[in-house]
């Protein structure tokens, strides 16, 4: 922090903004023409990789995500590149062996990632530790994440203790990740102030505009001492995306928190992305504000997935009933935060409960795995009778870190990729490990 308490801006236009509003359909060719200008804007960092972009690049765009990273880094050598890493899940939806987590981090740094925002859906520090240690080892910046939600067990003490544990295992900074836009302005004042006192490392705040609170929350967070905030250029801001970059730049201009970013310059960048948005408009999600998220606590991405699922089941007229079921399922499961993959797991179970007319008549294999400890430690207590009813009274429940049960995979996967004739570079092995079927299809059609 400087004497003037300048606030940094992380621009999300290349990752979370189009993941939230354009179904992650922005291609590398859409990004490259403006990349050099984005590099000169003066951002703290640009988030441009990870999350769903890795999967979507291969699955929908026939692109190699590793090539996107390299090409953009060539055009943007001056701005730190940031990615969203799902801890032991890497960029997938299950736990992967430790050797693959370490190798992914090594290769991501080699290709251009500087800052790793590492999170776990349950705030289970054990599921983030290997990724944090690898980031430290290979010279990256480990930004460990505290996922924000509201529940009887998610209080300031929980967030502070999680942040302290993360610092202890090697975090260089802490991100408070509010994926559903639930953090209210005055709560931000208290929480950010408490975190700043508890851990003597930078604090970054990430939120979404879903509930309409986000810009006000940023204002109070900055006043409370937050170091960096996430924004998106206005064309792909608001709705389930972030507050607008231009709005936040203007808000702090001329104050002690001045971002140092030129308003006219980012407005020029935004005009470029208007054309990209128009080109991809068939994928565009509504930019509405939905304060009901404060009641249901359902993030925007989870809501769109539920709508799609229920439409296929011809159940769209029962959406509200299902939304009311979500908090009940969440309570049964010990109040997991609704972020990938827990948002999908809880949402799908809520749909099953409503569709069958009997709660837990049909139970997904993911819920069973979760109740057996397969995703990590639940934030709250789970009723023993409920657990026994779902998984059986004699089923084993693990209390150790789930990845401890996974055998190393790199050597075996490398051999498989080479035998199948797909190997062109070491990064191909990681793509294959994380998304075997998608990567194999991509490799067949590559070039």
């Amino acid at each position: 922090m400087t004497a003037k308490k300048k606030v940094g801006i992380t621009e999300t236009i290349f990752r979370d903004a189009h993941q939230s509003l354009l179904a992650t359909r922005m291609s590398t060719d859409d990004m490259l023409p403006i990349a050099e200008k984005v590099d000169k804007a003066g951002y703290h960092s640009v988030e441009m990789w990870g999350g769903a972009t890795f999967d979507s690049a291969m699955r929908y765009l026939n692109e190699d995500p590793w090539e996107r990273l390299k090409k953009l880094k060539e055009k943007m050598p001056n701005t730190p590149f940031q990615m969203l890493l799902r801890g032991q899940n890497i960029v997938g939806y299950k736990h992967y062996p430790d050797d693959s987590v370490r190798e992914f981090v090594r290769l991501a740094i080699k290709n251009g990632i500087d800052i790793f925002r590492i999170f776990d859906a349950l705030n289970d520090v054990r599921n983030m530790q290997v990724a944090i240690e690898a980031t430290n080892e290979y010279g990256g910046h480990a930004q460990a994440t505290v996922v924000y939600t509201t529940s009887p067990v998610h209080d300031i003490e929980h967030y502070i203790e999680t942040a302290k544990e993360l610092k202890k295992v090697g975090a260089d900074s802490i991100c408070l990740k509010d994926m559903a836009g639930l953090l209210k302005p005055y709560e931000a004042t208290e929480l950010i102030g408490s975190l700043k006192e508890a851990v003597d490392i930078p604090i970054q705040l990430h939120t979404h505009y879903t509930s309409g609170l986000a810009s006000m929350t940023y204002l109070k967070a900055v006043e409370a001492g937050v170091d960096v905030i996430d924004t998106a250029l206005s064309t792909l801001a608001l709705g389930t995306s972030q507050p607008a970059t231009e709005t936040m730049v203007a808000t702090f201009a001329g104050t002690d928190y001045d971002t140092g970013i030129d308003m006219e310059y980012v407005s020029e960048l935004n005009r470029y992305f208007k054309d990209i948005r128009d080109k991809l408009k068939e994928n565009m999600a509504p930019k509405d504000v939905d304060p009901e998220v404060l009641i249901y606590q359902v993030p925007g991405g989870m809501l769109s997935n539920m709508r799609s699922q229920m439409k296929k089941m011809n159940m769209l007229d029962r959406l509200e009933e299902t939304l009311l079921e979500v908090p009940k399922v969440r309570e049964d499961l010990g109040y997991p935060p609704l972020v990938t993959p827990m948002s999908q797991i809880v949402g799908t179970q809520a749909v099953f409960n409503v569709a069958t007319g009997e709660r837990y008549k049909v139970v997904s294999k993911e819920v069973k795995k979760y109740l057996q400890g397969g995703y990590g430690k639940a934030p709250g207590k789970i009723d023993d009778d409920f657990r026994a009813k779902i998984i059986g009274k004699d089923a084993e429940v693990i209390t150790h870190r789930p990845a401890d049960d996974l055998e190393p995979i790199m050597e075996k996967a490398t051999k498989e990729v080479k035998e199948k004739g797909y190997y062109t570079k070491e990064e191909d092995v990681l793509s294959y490990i994380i998304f075997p079927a998608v990567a194999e299809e991509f490799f067949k059609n590559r070039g």
Side-chain angles (χ1 to χ4, degrees):
M1 294 289 288
T2 67
K4 287 192 73 175
K5 297 179 278 190
K6 170 183 172 179
V7 63
I9 298 282
T10 291
E11 177 58 64
T12 68
I13 195 80
F14 286 152
R15 205 286 296 180
D16 202 359
H18 75 103
Q19 181 173 321
S20 296
L21 294 178
L22 287 176
T24 331
R25 293 303 195 273
M26 198 186 291
S27 69
T28 305
D29 286 344
D30 294 328
M31 300 174 187
L32 287 173
I34 196 68
E36 289 179 357
K37 284 191 172 181
V38 174
D39 192 37
K40 295 172 183 171
Y43 289 119
H44 167 81
S45 66
V46 168
E47 192 207 37
M48 48 69 61
W49 216 53
T53 61
F54 199 96
D55 178 14
S56 295
M58 292 189 292
R59 190 188 298 268
Y60 302 117
L61 303 174
N62 196 31
E63 279 190 21
D64 188 333
W66 298 98
E67 290 300 313
R68 173 180 297 183
L69 176 53
K70 284 201 294 188
K71 286 177 181 177
L72 282 172
K73 196 65 180 179
E74 287 170 9
K75 297 270 188 183
M76 301 175 66
N78 304 306
T79 305
F81 273 10
Q82 185 165 317
M83 78 163 291
L84 184 66
L85 187 76
R86 295 169 178 156
Q88 206 68 34
N89 292 10
I90 312 180
V91 288
Y93 306 99
K94 65 177 186 178
H95 287 194
Y96 297 94
D98 290 345
D99 63 337
S100 61
V101 175
R102 284 193 291 268
E103 186 66 358
F104 185 93
V105 170
R106 181 184 77 81
L107 291 174
I109 290 173
K110 173 191 165 190
N111 283 283
I113 293 296
D114 301 286
I115 302 168
F116 292 79
R117 179 173 291 169
I118 301 161
F119 83 94
D120 176 70
L122 301 175
N123 282 336
D124 189 334
V125 174
R126 301 172 305 169
N127 294 336
M128 296 183 260
Q129 186 165 352
V130 170
I132 291 170
E133 289 171 352
T135 303
N136 294 157
E137 180 183 347
Y138 295 115
H141 177 105
Q143 182 174 93
T145 302
V146 179
V147 173
Y148 179 83
T149 187
T150 55
S151 83
V153 298
H154 289 91
D155 53 17
I156 284 185
E157 185 181 348
H158 166 84
Y159 297 124
I160 287 174
E161 288 309 310
T162 305
K164 284 180 176 177
E165 281 186 62
L166 289 168
K167 183 185 177 185
K168 199 180 293 182
V169 298
D172 297 305
S173 64
I174 297 290
C175 172
L176 185 65
K177 179 179 172 67
D178 175 25
M179 63 282 169
L182 300 176
L183 183 60
K184 297 171 185 173
Y186 290 101
E187 289 171 359
T189 298
E190 186 179 6
L191 181 50
I192 295 298
S194 299
L195 284 170
K196 290 293 291 182
E197 283 181 20
V199 290
D200 189 24
I201 52 177
I203 306 289
Q204 184 157 355
L205 179 58
H206 169 91
T207 189
H208 290 250
Y209 205 82
T210 318
S211 66
L213 293 171
S215 295
M216 294 182 287
T217 297
Y218 275 169
L219 177 61
K220 301 306 288 184
V222 168
E223 290 176 350
V226 84
D227 297 279
V228 188
I229 55 175
D230 289 8
T231 66
L233 290 167
S234 56
T235 292
L236 291 177
L238 311 186
T240 55
S241 180
Q242 280 73 51
T245 302
E246 301 95 311
T247 304
M248 300 318 299
V249 166
T251 296
F252 300 117
T255 73
D256 286 350
Y257 311 109
D258 196 313
T259 64
I261 294 171
D262 184 86
M263 177 73 172
E264 288 185 15
Y265 193 87
V266 286
S267 294
E268 183 186 337
L269 297 179
N270 188 60
R271 286 193 284 276
Y272 171 85
F273 285 102
K274 280 184 180 176
D275 292 337
I276 300 298
R277 180 191 67 186
D278 291 345
K279 185 182 81 166
L280 299 171
K281 62 186 176 185
E282 69 273 12
N283 300 294
M284 188 73 184
K287 294 176 75 169
D288 302 338
V289 166
D290 183 10
E292 284 193 341
V293 71
L294 298 168
I295 302 168
Y296 303 128
Q297 302 177 4
V298 175
M302 177 182 173
L303 182 57
S304 58
N305 286 341
M306 283 178 68
R307 275 204 186 103
S308 173
Q309 196 175 2
M310 296 185 78
K311 188 174 182 181
K312 287 175 186 171
M313 297 169 72
N314 202 27
M315 278 180 58
L316 211 47
D317 60 322
R318 302 185 73 183
L319 179 62
E320 187 172 349
E321 189 182 346
T322 309
L323 287 171
L324 288 168
E325 177 66 12
V326 167
K328 296 174 187 174
V329 172
R330 190 168 168 246
E331 181 179 357
D332 292 337
L333 299 183
Y335 299 105
L338 296 178
V339 65
T340 304
M342 292 313 304
S343 51
Q344 292 90 332
I345 292 170
V346 171
T348 298
Q349 189 59 53
V351 172
F352 287 169
N353 288 358
V354 171
T356 59
E358 182 182 333
R359 304 189 77 229
Y360 303 104
K361 181 179 182 181
V362 175
V363 180
S364 72
K365 67 180 188 296
E366 289 82 10
V367 166
K368 291 178 181 177
K369 181 180 175 181
Y370 169 80
L371 289 171
Q372 289 178 296
Y375 289 93
K377 185 183 177 186
K381 182 165 171 44
I382 297 171
D383 181 77
D384 290 336
D385 292 337
F386 169 75
R387 193 196 301 265
K389 176 188 169 187
I390 302 299
I391 64 174
K393 62 179 181 180
D394 297 324
E396 182 191 2
V397 178
I398 67 167
T399 56
H400 56 263
R401 186 182 72 113
D404 288 343
D405 294 334
L406 302 176
E407 294 293 326
I409 196 172
M410 286 303 304
E411 190 176 333
K412 179 188 173 195
T414 302
K415 186 180 177 186
E416 279 182 24
V417 174
K418 286 181 175 178
E419 285 175 350
K420 291 181 177 185
Y422 297 141
Y423 188 96
T424 64
K425 57 184 182 297
E426 53 188 342
E427 290 85 352
D428 290 340
V429 180
L430 271 303
S431 301
Y432 178 77
I433 287 170
I434 302 167
F435 296 110
V438 174
E440 198 159 350
E441 189 66 23
F442 168 73
F443 293 151
K444 285 177 186 173
N445 297 311
R446 180 164 51 186

